[in-house]
Amino acid sequence: MSSNTPSSSAAAAAGSAESSAARRNSKRPKYSKFTQQELPACKPILTPGWVISTFLIISVIFIPLGVIYLFASQDVVEIVDRYDTECIPPSDRANKVAYIQGAANKSCTRTLTVPKEMKQPIYVYYQLENFYQNHRRYVKSRSDSQLRSVKDENQIDACKPEDDFGGQPIVPCGLIAWSLFNDTYTLSRKNQPLAVNKKGIAWKSDKEHKFGKNVFPKNFQKGNITGGAKLNPNIPLSEQEDLIVWMRTAALPTFRKLYGKIESDLHKGDTIEVNLQNNYNTYSFSGKKKLVLSTTSWLGGKNDFLGIAYLTVGGICFVLALAFTVMYLVKPRRLGDPTYLSWNRIPGGR
Amino acid sequence: MVRPGELSVDSSTNHLRTPSRTVTLGRIQPQAPTYRTVYCNDRDSNYLVRLKCLHGNSISTTKYNVFTFLPKGLFEQFRRIANIYFLGISCLSMTPISPVNPITNVAPLSMVLLVSLIKEAFEDWKRFQNDMSINNSTVEVLQDQLWVPIPWRKLQVGDIIKIKKDGFFPADLLFLSSINPDGICYVETANLDGETNLKIRKALERTWDYLTPEKASEFNGEIQCEQPNNSLYTFTGNLIVEKQTLPLSPDQLLLRGCSLRNTEYIVGAVIFTGHETKVMMNAMNAPSKRSTLEKKLDKLIITIFCALVIMCLIGAIGCAIVTDRDHFYLGLHKKDCEYRNGLTYYLLVPQIAFFTFFTLVILFSTIIPISLYVSIEMIKFIQSTQFINRDLHMYHVETNTPASARTSNLNEELGQVEYIFSDKTGTHTRNLMEFFKCSIGGISYGCGITEIERGIAQRDGLKIHEEQRSTGAIREKGFNFDDPRLMRGGWRNEPNPNLCKEFFRCLAICHTVLPEGDESPEKIVYQAASPDEAALVTAAKNFGFFFYRRTPTMVSVRESHTEQMGKIQDVSYEILNVLEFNSTRKRQSVVCRYPDGRLVLYCKGADTVIFERLASGMDDVRKVTGEHLEHFGSSGLRTLCLAYKDLNPEAYDSWNERFIEAKSALRDREKKLDEVAELIEKDLILIGSTAIEDKLQEGVPTCIETLSRAGVKIWVLTGDKMETAINIAYACNLINNEMKQFIISSETNAIKEAEERGNQVEIERVIKEEVKKELKKSLEEAQQYLRTVGGPKLALVIDGKCLMYALDPALRITLLSLSLNCTSVVCCRVSPLQKAQVTSLVRKGAKKITLSIGDGANDVSMIQAAHVGVGISGMEGMQAVMASDFAIAQFRFLTDLLLVHGRWSYLRICKVVMYFFYKNLTFTLTQFWFTFRTGFSGQRFYDDWFQSLYNVFFTALPVIVLGLFEKDVSASLSKRYPELYREGIRNSFFKWRVVAVWASSAVYQSLVCYLFVTASAFDGKNSSGKTFGLWDVSTMVFTCLVIAVNLRILLMSNSITRWHHITVGGSILAWLVFAFVYCGIMTPRDRNENVYFVIYVLMSTFYFYFTLLLVPVVALLADFIYQGVERWFLPYDYQIVQEIHRHEPDSSNADQLEIANELTPEEARSYAISQLPREISKHTGFAFDSPGYESFFASQLGIYAPQKAWDVARRASMRSRPKAPKKN
């Protein structure tokens, strides 16, 4: 009986009489597309047509891309030579670690045959396997500020256990620098030395911004145990490109790093003598060492993975397009067939 | 000063009257044993009282103030387990074992806390402003013999204030005087108890004069009263004026929250202020409910946590195996390990593994989505404030009430409701009675056809022509009767005009209605305790017996056509006695004296009680009337029988003595009054019967039909009689004749016999036996029906008394399994407590999601007991609404609330949760795969900032847009295909199966992103042969991941708005912009410049672009295939519906079309009623809501609910005052 009370009946009567007042008092929500949830929207429905044409479009785009990529990758010539075992004299192979830690002469000669014409520049890589450059202890054991500027050379907190030597900071500190790769390669062809250019092997951004031009190695490799290569204390870090390359830690335990460039063409059938100093200890953790000579295409080095992936995905999509077509033909279902509604089917369903 | 002894006497009598407890709105508070003294008009003397109530009359409902906000707010936030978890992770990440910078975990946590705190602050600010506006509204207070307006907050105990018409009482007042000479005023208590009929308050005669400011300032009474408490209907105290002690009762108390009506102004003294007022003491926070989905979400989180532990264990074990001093470059042989050689080395490995475990916990902590809760909260908040509260479909024009979500916790719960418990009156029915038919002296009048009858006829294939209403037929509120035989004096030509006259007089005299307003037929407003009464008086008015004035002793009726056609005369009948209605008597009588001295008793009541008391020799009329009653009843009408009796003055006088004696009895007054009434209410002469139509709420049958198609089962829990309840159930389409009905009633012979014998213990035993037997039998039968295919649907009807025993723990299971097998259940004659019990039975026993809907104070317990409580707002008061989670104006809006908002919310929240789960799992898994290749060292794959911003920045917005705008089908289709709702009841979108699908999708995508990028990033990557490092690869993976995860949103959306495009594109762009800026700068702080220039290096290679195209496409391909296959072979219902309507534009246009095609409510109702039973039911549909209804149930429960002193119904029997014509 609420409308009997003056207030509410007045509110009802106000509708006609005092429309402006009523509008002011009205609690009627204002219309807006947002609050009424009527925003314009597109409603994609995965109809067979859409599914099949999506697959077709993907395959049409992906297959040519895959072909292009593979062609580019095919142009690349790559010579890989694993030398970690071969470079140990047979007598010492029983105890490789002792040999590598010993003082014996570690030089070793490898002979490579060029399978195809290789246009310059030819890149020389070393490849390590089972070497965890991405280990947490390892990755964090560096000091970027120390590398960048002289005044921060005491910022060595992160570098443990290679932080200082007798109280003096080590520059560059940390495990990464300490374990710098120290095998060296000297290449020659028909007894003519092949020059290996060690400049321009690091990313420019690293060289220019992350490693200081006036930061010089200090107290480096002076501890009881030597990890790897030593650095010339007279060359600033920004010019120590081997170090810069090494310190861009790799993502996976198998990685390649650029050693240098050969700036002359190699011809098919050429034999190349590599005189290497097998200094680096990968034997204690049975890591592999490989020497790689490779040309590049505009896409980079030899890597068929993406090309094959593109081709496969393109192919699969094409097959799927066919499969879905067949599926729709074999088991057709009228779009929006009400008999498929669960309440029109036999009790049960989803 | 009052002597303490006097007060204790008063309170002891009070104890006599209240044997156990008083009924309050909220929890019961122990009353302070002491009393307080308030000195009127004397601010200084009240300092003692004021000391206790520091804030005066200002109120504050805020949760925090400036100082407590931060500690209290943070404490609230950390009560959430997820936040504690991240706090722990953040602390862990400060330790050296952490693989990440602490910022990674601290930043998102602070972001989440900040957002939550801002939200809290905003809400509290709104509450504060609301309080301020209340505190600053003005009231006129007496100062120096003048009425001075001051703000409410400055009001103090003892102040004398003046309230004008329609004003609200600012505090609890002692009513001193009124402009009305008889010291009464009318108040509306809708804000308190939801009752909209006006209540009368009466000032003590002693204080009537203190009306003018001059006089009032002389008032220096002392009020001794109880301490503030929350009992709304009790008040004891004394007023001491000039050494005279006057007892005070609730009649003199004007409560804050009520408003003054129909009285020009009143004067009162402030007793309780601010938080001490009864309404504030009653302020209760609706119990905070958590949605079922959220509880399931907790389970999911725990599962994720287990997964996290397993991942970390794998990592730790792997670490123990791989860690090896032979990897000399890791420096394990140096310094910190130097002293550990030989044997101790083997101790080191478990140690490292142990620390690695925690390192990995921090590393993988992103698997638990930190921003999930805050995002869901935001989504729900917008859903409730913007969508539900502002839905035009749920706005009721007539009452000017929009829907209101009072909590935003339960939006998605609305999408899973399986059981609805509904109150009947005011919920299904409008509680708007219309006089529809009558039977006088064995002749049935009224040619209208009820909707129920129309429905029956239509189902039989008969066409009903809308009968031409006779010209000039009157139709007004409460009156929908048309028969020229009776109207406009036509009754004079009927066979029995004298009986007709008695009929009309009985209608006009025998009632407790109060007329208000102008004394003209058009403008008068009847205030009645029950709408039936008002309808009957309105009917009398339209028959030419216009009741226009009531004084305590007189009823004035303007009678026309009595002596001759067209003649009008005012007749005043002296009311000698009123024998009130109560639910045991089921009748009401009035003894009146005609101006010519004739003494008559008019009586109206239920057919059964009237028929028992008829004089002999009336069998014919009785039989015919009985038939009419049956007919009325089967048409869904509420009936009452009328009778009268001429009294012999001598006999009356002797009876009246006994009556007065009974009335002044101190003990068992009610019972004695009933006994006395029996003596005179006999040998009655039957006049006839009335039939009132209880109008259904608009759209109720349609709504119920829609909901039951949606798989929702509706139970009606009502205090009405079984017959009425069944009637309404038929009318609402809850029960139809195709259903097998199980009726468990306490009105069986066995029980009746036992009751007649009167032994309480035996009665109980018999009822229990009967109920048990019935339940067992019904259950067996029900199971038999269920086994047969295509058997009938089942319905259960049970009454409150039986329910009491059926709810016994021993029988509960039987009751539950029986009722769960029934499509509809009707419980009648149930008390508010039983309503709650039934609700909890289903909620806890059957573990189904329940919703209760009701409009009155008696529904509060039920509303709070259910998962979701819905209050009907607008018509009735606030009580149910205050306790509810959602308030809607009409029952039919449930369709929109459940089928549209609930379903969408459920769908959205499911998708949001799944998406959060997926995106964090994908992200963390790439990290997990990487761990395998780092010697399980716990090296992080991504830069700190990438990782911390992934959740709060690069993937945060699209999912919120998804949670706001996702729509599988439009609102109109949701209502057109209510069956779609069943997906929510079955919880199709939040099953472990769905979780598994998403999890496998996450595994697949993370593998694709991780493997494809790492496998291809091996050798020289640009034309000058330079190679990538760790951070180049990880940035590449991260880029692919951000793109794939963001695009996945589009793939899972059913409706893609502009906002989807903006946020998805924006998120990807945000990542790129961030990468450009972040990689382009060197921060001055000491940190590893890992990602310096990385993005530029990447973008300088063709590799970047080739990968960027390939990886996201491959990552999403599997999901695409899955969705394609699923849609084709195992389509969800909504997908079929989408397909059916794929060509229809979806906008308001479609809605308008929909509305145009929709049946009008009237048509829809008649359509629904067409499902009604063919045979005439045998019940007569007596129904007469009594004002004492609630106290009746309360007393059955052993709770004493005092008769409300201000009930209009009792007004008529107030004879304490000498005759005084009421001025108007």
Side-chain angles (χ1 to χ4, degrees), chain B residues 154-259:
Chain B
K154 292 199 176 152
L155 208 60
Q156 282 181 9
V157 168
D159 285 352
I160 306 279
I161 57 171
K162 173 176 148 185
I163 310 288
K164 289 187 183 151
K165 190 176 174 180
D166 293 341
F168 283 91
F169 304 125
D172 288 354
L173 309 175
L174 175 71
F175 181 25
L176 293 177
S177 56
S178 156
I179 186 89
N180 292 342
D182 47 358
I184 60 162
C185 73
Y186 298 86
V187 295
E188 194 188 89
T189 56
N191 279 347
L192 242 54
D193 55 14
E195 292 175 25
T196 47
N197 45 347
L198 301 185
K199 314 280 159 46
I200 291 169
R201 296 304 173 87
K202 191 160 176 291
L204 292 177
E205 213 168 327
R206 181 71 183 70
T207 61
W208 285 3
D209 302 331
Y210 298 107
L211 193 61
T212 57
E214 297 78 29
K215 191 87 174 91
S217 54
E218 290 166 16
F219 181 70
N220 57 354
E222 260 177 61
I223 303 159
Q224 303 246 344
C225 62
E226 58 194 19
Q227 289 291 345
N229 60 55
N230 68 341
S231 165
L232 283 178
Y233 302 121
T234 62
F235 176 72
T236 49
N238 290 316
L239 174 69
I240 303 158
V241 197
E242 288 155 18
K243 301 204 172 142
Q244 194 180 354
T245 304
L246 305 161
L248 297 174
S249 72
D251 263 350
Q252 285 88 42
L253 192 65
L254 304 174
L255 297 178
R256 180 179 176 135
C258 302
S259 56

Side-chain angles (χ1 to χ4, degrees), chain A residues 1-7 25-29 31 34-46 48 54-55 62 65 69 123 125 127 130-132 134-139 144-145 148 155 161-164 175 178-179 200-203 205 209-210 225 248-254 256 258 281 284-285 296-303 305-306 309-310 313 317 320 324 327-328 331 333 335-337 340-343 350, chain B residues 97 188 196 261-262 326-335 359 386-387 390-392 395 400 402 477 525-526 531 534 875 901 904 908 930 933-935 937-939 965 967 979 982 986 993 1010 1012 1014 1016 1018-1027 1029-1030 1032-1033 1054-1057 1059 1082 1086 1088-1089 1092-1093 1097 1102-1103 1106-1107 1109-1110 1113-1114 1117 1120-1121 1123 1125 1127-1133 1136 1138-1140 1142 1146 1148 1151:
Chain A
M1 299 298 288
S2 76
S3 49
N4 270 2
T5 61
S7 69
N25 294 332
S26 172
K27 292 181 191 150
R28 185 188 174 85
Y31 175 85
F34 172 67
T35 56
Q36 301 309 310
Q37 311 197 53
E38 285 170 357
L39 286 178
C42 80
K43 315 198 160 225
I45 296 179
L46 277 186
T54 311
F55 284 138
F62 274 32
L65 282 178
Y69 203 104
Y123 297 95
Y125 298 94
Q127 176 173 336
N130 197 26
F131 186 101
Y132 289 104
N134 58 7
H135 197 282
R136 185 166 70 91
R137 278 185 80 85
Y138 192 77
V139 173
D144 279 353
S145 36
R148 200 164 59 212
Q155 296 206 354
E162 290 295 335
D163 47 354
D164 62 354
L175 287 171
W178 175 74
S179 61
I201 54 174
W203 293 100
S205 56
H209 300 291
K210 291 176 98 170
I225 307 168
R248 197 177 184 98
T249 50
L252 297 179
T254 299
R256 269 179 199 181
L258 196 52
N281 176 14
S284 59
F285 52 88
T296 59
S297 68
W298 52 276
L299 273 171
K302 188 174 185 68
N303 192 332
F305 181 84
L306 277 183
Y310 265 107
V313 173
C317 282
L320 280 173
F324 267 76
M327 215 156 74
Y328 293 143
K331 193 164 181 286
R333 170 168 84 80
L335 264 189
D337 187 347
Y340 273 80
L341 291 168
S342 65
W343 58 92
R350 274 209 301 219
Chain B
I97 60 159
E188 194 188 89
T196 47
R261 287 292 145 88
N262 290 11
D326 294 341
H327 289 272
F328 67 89
Y329 53 92
L330 300 180
L332 284 169
H333 57 292
K334 301 211 70 167
K335 288 185 178 170
T359 305
Q386 300 297 310
F387 296 159
R390 302 208 179 171
D391 189 347
L392 285 168
Y395 170 73
N400 189 21
K477 186 165 178 276
V525 175
Y526 290 124
M875 279 291 275
H901 291 284
W904 279 349
R908 287 165 181 169
F930 179 65
R933 300 299 304 276
T934 65
S937 61
Q939 170 58 30
F965 300 121
K967 275 200 276 190
E979 292 88 349
R982 294 180 190 175
R986 285 194 297 263
R993 201 183 71 89
Y1010 172 73
F1012 273 48
T1014 51
S1016 58
F1018 171 62
D1019 59 353
K1021 274 305 159 224
N1022 71 358
S1023 48
S1024 55
K1026 288 167 188 161
T1027 51
L1030 166 61
D1032 306 279
V1033 174
N1054 282 305
S1055 103
I1056 299 174
T1057 64
W1059 293 101
M1082 287 239 190
D1086 171 41
N1088 291 346
E1089 306 288 354
Y1092 177 67
F1093 236 68
V1097 163
F1102 280 103
Y1103 164 78
F1106 270 94
T1107 312
L1109 178 63
L1110 177 73
V1113 168
V1114 177
L1117 197 62
F1120 186 75
I1121 296 169
Q1123 287 191 1
V1125 171
R1127 178 179 273 272
W1128 199 248
F1129 293 109
L1130 290 163
Y1132 280 100
D1133 290 333
I1136 302 285
Q1138 279 176 343
E1139 287 167 12
I1140 296 174
R1142 66 189 180 281
D1146 168 63
S1148 46
D1151 277 334

Side-chain angles (χ1 to χ4, degrees), chain B residues 620-648:
Chain B
D620 290 348
V621 185
R622 183 175 160 170
K623 192 163 161 264
V624 180
T625 310
E627 278 167 17
H628 291 162
L629 283 169
E630 262 179 30
H631 183 79
F632 293 155
S634 67
S635 318
L637 300 171
R638 297 155 70 99
T639 57
L640 279 180
C641 276
L642 308 187
Y644 78 101
K645 177 189 181 183
D646 279 307
L647 296 174
N648 171 336

